[in-house]
């Protein structure tokens, strides 16, 4: 089996929850750090079973990658790939997934690790191409606890990570509408994953990666 891990390295993946009292509580891992931990763990699992594992980091294009192989140095190369500095830009899924559908050998396993904050039609079209090539597709959607719970209180300024935009507001006035829109977004993601017969798992950055991996592997 060839396992290809697609790790979203776009700027939105740099978001992390920071404790109010930074002196007593460390920051949680960013979405990218969480994604990298998940990808490394899955690569180790594949390699330990004698499968070939590779990894690709992308934003609006493929930035760098390690092709699927089963040699002894493979896990070290994947770790080096995920620890390398990133010049993160905005995400653009369709050209990345289209390129991979053309270049990956057919009938492998492709695991997308991303917040999926992008063109959802483009994501679906790209995943459909991979499905048509016979790939087994899985999706780990990584979101920060802030994004899922919207815990903000008092006047807050939100700054975009991929767009040069800011919004100053009272988050209490937005919370109900935000959570309603979030649930609609997650329901759409689940529907689109089902459309391409992809296993889907939602991962919080605040949960232990091992717990997320157990949920994911239980579906396999």
């Amino acid at each position: 089996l060839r396992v290809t891990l697609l790790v979203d390295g776009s700027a939105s993946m740099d978001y992390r929850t920071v404790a109010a009292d930074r002196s007593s509580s460390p920051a949680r891992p960013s979405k990218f750090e969480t994604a990298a931990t998940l990808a490394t763990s899955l690569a180790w699992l594949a390699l330990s079973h004698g499968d070939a594992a590779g990894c690709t980091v992308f934003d609006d294009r493929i930035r760098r990658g390690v092709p699927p192989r089963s040699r002894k140095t493979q896990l070290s190369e994947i770790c080096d790939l995920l620890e390398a500095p990133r010049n993160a830009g905005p995400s653009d899924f369709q050209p990345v997934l289209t390129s991979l559908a053309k270049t990956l050998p057919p009938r492998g396993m492709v695991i997308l690790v991303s917040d999926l904050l992008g063109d959802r039609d483009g994501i679906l079209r790209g995943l459909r191409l991979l499905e048509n090539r016979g790939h087994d597709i899985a999706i780990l959607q990584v979101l920060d606890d802030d994004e899922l719970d919207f815990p903000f209180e008092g006047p807050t300024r939100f700054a975009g990570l991929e767009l040069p935009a800011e919004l100053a507001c009272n988050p209490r006035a937005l919370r109900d509408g935000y959570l309603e829109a979030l649930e609609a977004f997650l329901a759409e993601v689940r529907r689109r994953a089902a459309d391409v017969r992809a296993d889907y798992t939602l991962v919080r950055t605040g949960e232990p990666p091992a717990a997320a991996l157990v949920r994911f592997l239980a579906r396999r």
Side-chain angles (χ1 to χ4, degrees), residues 1-4 68 100-110 129-136:
L1 178 66
R2 292 182 308 275
V3 180
T4 301
L100 287 167
K102 293 177 180 178
T103 57
L104 287 176
R107 293 181 294 279
M109 183 175 187
V110 176
L129 291 173
L130 290 166
E131 182 199 22
N132 291 340
R133 292 274 288 166
H135 292 290
D136 179 10

Side-chain angles (χ1 to χ4, degrees), residues 65-88:
V66 175
R69 291 183 290 244
S70 56
R71 62 190 187 184
K72 293 181 179 180
T73 60
Q74 191 71 354
L75 187 61
S76 175
E77 291 183 27
I78 291 173
C79 289
D80 290 343
L81 172 78
L82 292 169
E83 291 173 355
R86 293 160 38 242
N87 185 18

Side-chain angles (χ1 to χ4, degrees), residues 3-218:
V3 180
T4 301
L5 296 144
L6 309 180
V7 179
D8 186 348
S10 63
S12 69
M13 294 292 286
D14 285 329
Y15 186 85
R16 73 174 77 230
T17 296
V18 179
D21 182 0
R22 301 189 186 196
S23 63
S24 61
S25 300
R28 287 196 190 120
S30 69
K31 290 188 286 184
F32 182 79
E33 290 166 345
T34 299
T37 299
L38 294 169
T40 303
S41 300
L42 289 167
W44 173 84
L45 185 63
L47 292 165
S48 68
H49 283 80
D51 297 324
C55 186
T56 294
V57 177
F58 71 94
D59 44 34
D60 61 346
R61 69 197 77 175
I62 295 172
R63 294 295 181 178
R64 55 189 183 273
V66 175
R69 291 183 290 244
S70 56
R71 62 190 187 184
K72 293 181 179 180
T73 60
Q74 191 71 354
L75 187 61
S76 175
E77 291 183 27
I78 291 173
C79 289
D80 290 343
L81 172 78
L82 292 169
E83 291 173 355
R86 293 160 38 242
N87 185 18
S91 59
D92 192 354
F93 291 86
Q94 186 172 352
V96 170
L97 297 175
T98 299
S99 175
L100 287 167
K102 293 177 180 178
T103 57
L104 287 176
R107 293 181 294 279
M109 183 175 187
V110 176
I111 304 176
L112 174 61
V113 192
S114 168
D115 58 13
L116 301 181
L117 299 180
D119 175 15
R120 292 188 287 282
D121 288 332
I123 297 171
L124 180 63
R125 287 191 291 268
L127 292 176
R128 182 80 70 194
L129 291 173
L130 290 166
E131 182 199 22
N132 291 340
R133 292 274 288 166
H135 292 290
D136 179 10
I137 302 170
I139 300 170
L140 292 166
Q141 184 178 21
V142 179
L143 291 175
D144 190 90
D145 287 21
D146 281 357
E147 295 172 311
L148 291 166
D149 301 329
F150 205 72
F152 306 101
E153 300 284 345
T156 304
R157 182 180 298 276
F158 297 95
L161 289 173
E162 296 191 7
L163 296 173
E166 292 187 352
L167 173 66
C169 66
N170 177 359
R172 291 183 182 179
L174 299 179
R175 188 172 190 274
D176 289 346
Y178 171 87
L179 293 176
E180 182 179 346
L182 173 68
E183 185 49 46
F185 164 61
L186 294 177
E188 181 185 1
V189 167
R190 291 190 292 267
R191 285 195 303 271
R192 289 174 181 260
D195 286 344
V196 292
R197 294 183 292 181
D199 285 334
Y200 168 83
T201 302
L202 176 63
V203 180
R204 287 175 170 263
T205 57
E207 70 176 315
L213 289 169
V214 167
R215 291 202 314 278
F216 171 71
L217 294 172

